[in-house]
């Protein structure tokens, strides 16, 4: 599989897996002590290069606490996967915003979760891709604006996965296959391939 990056030594992979398992062990792992400001922040870092911060109210309601728990589980899982499968880097700020119908991600590094049904690893992976540039960068417009991704690396990768005639289709700021646009697309294999394709898109110039 073409990756264009230095392979992670097996010992480092073992460390990543151990740390990822620790992160996924339960809600609220590595939560910071709330600050006295009106909105405090908790810093959660995975083992490699993507980090995320959850903005928390200083005196959260039960609704907010429930959302924070779900978001923490989803983001911990998604960030651990990105850091285990790729060498991408991003500092992400996450907010709970009940006014958001689903969830959204922006290239400025922000993700907002609104609907409880979207506080999942699948959604978190999808929105992290938006923060990296999927559907949000000039490179996306240049390489994906025709309805088919034209970058060589991601194209070669999807053909390795799905055969010599496979392509990465684009539209509405999303890609498929492996874009994780809907819940029924999620599996561990699809999630890993999603991250690999996003990383290949970055190498293509995303």
């Amino acid at each position: 599989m073409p990756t264009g990056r230095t392979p992670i030594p097996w010992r480092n992979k073992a460390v990543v897996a151990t740390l990822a398992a620790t992160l996924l062990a339960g809600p609220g792992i590595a939560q910071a002590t709330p600050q006295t400001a009106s909105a405090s922040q908790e810093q959660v870092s995975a083992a490699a290069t993507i980090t995320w911060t959850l903005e928390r109210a200083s005196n959260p309601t039960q609704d907010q606490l429930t959302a924070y728990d779900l978001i923490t589980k989803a983001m911990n899982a998604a960030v651990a996967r990105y850091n285990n499968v790729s060498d991408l880097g991003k500092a992400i700020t996450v907010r709970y915003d009940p006014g958001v119908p689903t969830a959204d991600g922006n290239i400025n590094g922000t993700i907002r979760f609104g609907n409880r049904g979207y506080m999942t690893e699948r959604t978190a992976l999808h929105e992290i891709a938006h923060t990296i540039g999927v559907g949000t960068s000039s490179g996306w417009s240049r390489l994906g604006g025709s309805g088919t991704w034209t970058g060589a690396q991601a194209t070669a990768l999807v053909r390795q996965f799905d055969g010599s005639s496979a392509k990465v289709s684009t539209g509405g700021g999303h890609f498929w296959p492996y874009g994780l646009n809907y819940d029924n697309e999620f599996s561990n294999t699809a999630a890993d391939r999603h991250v690999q394709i996003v990383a290949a898109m970055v190498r293509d110039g995303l």
Side-chain angles (χ1 to χ4, degrees):
M1 173 180 60
T3 61
R5 63 182 177 88
T6 303
I8 301 173
W10 71 268
R11 285 188 178 87
N12 288 350
K13 283 190 173 181
V15 171
V16 168
T18 300
L19 290 174
T22 300
L23 283 172
L24 295 172
I29 298 298
Q31 291 186 1
T33 302
Q35 302 169 7
T36 56
S38 59
S40 61
Q41 295 186 343
E42 99 184 328
Q43 180 68 43
V44 182
S45 297
T49 55
I50 291 180
T51 61
W52 70 281
T53 301
L54 175 63
E55 290 191 347
R56 297 174 60 98
S58 58
N59 187 25
T61 64
Q62 185 58 53
D63 172 71
Q64 289 171 323
L65 289 171
T66 301
Y68 296 159
D69 179 39
L70 293 170
I71 291 168
T72 296
K73 289 177 180 177
M75 287 298 298
N76 277 350
V79 168
R81 191 183 297 271
Y82 260 96
N83 288 334
N84 191 35
V85 176
S86 79
D87 58 2
L88 295 172
K90 192 78 179 186
I92 298 170
T93 300
V94 181
R95 301 184 180 101
Y96 169 47
D97 184 345
V100 175
T102 57
D104 58 38
N106 192 291
I107 198 169
N108 67 8
T110 61
I111 294 175
R112 301 184 303 166
F113 289 92
N115 189 306
R116 293 273 196 278
Y118 292 86
M119 295 175 184
T120 63
E121 182 187 358
R122 193 278 304 173
T123 303
L125 289 165
H126 178 95
E127 300 307 339
I128 289 170
H130 285 313
T131 72
I132 291 169
V134 169
T136 58
S137 69
S138 59
W140 172 267
S141 300
R142 184 177 69 256
L143 294 165
S146 67
T148 300
W149 184 260
T150 59
Q153 299 251 0
T155 299
L157 189 57
V158 78
R159 287 177 178 173
Q160 178 180 323
F161 293 152
D162 295 338
S164 60
S165 63
K167 65 179 182 178
V168 178
S169 298
T170 60
H174 300 93
F175 71 88
W176 61 91
Y178 308 115
L180 303 183
N181 303 299
Y182 301 98
D183 285 342
N184 62 7
E185 297 177 42
F186 184 85
S187 69
N188 280 322
T189 297
D192 284 349
R193 290 180 177 184
H194 168 84
V195 175
Q196 291 170 319
I197 287 178
V198 172
M201 286 178 166
V202 170
R203 295 193 298 274
D204 281 333
L206 178 65

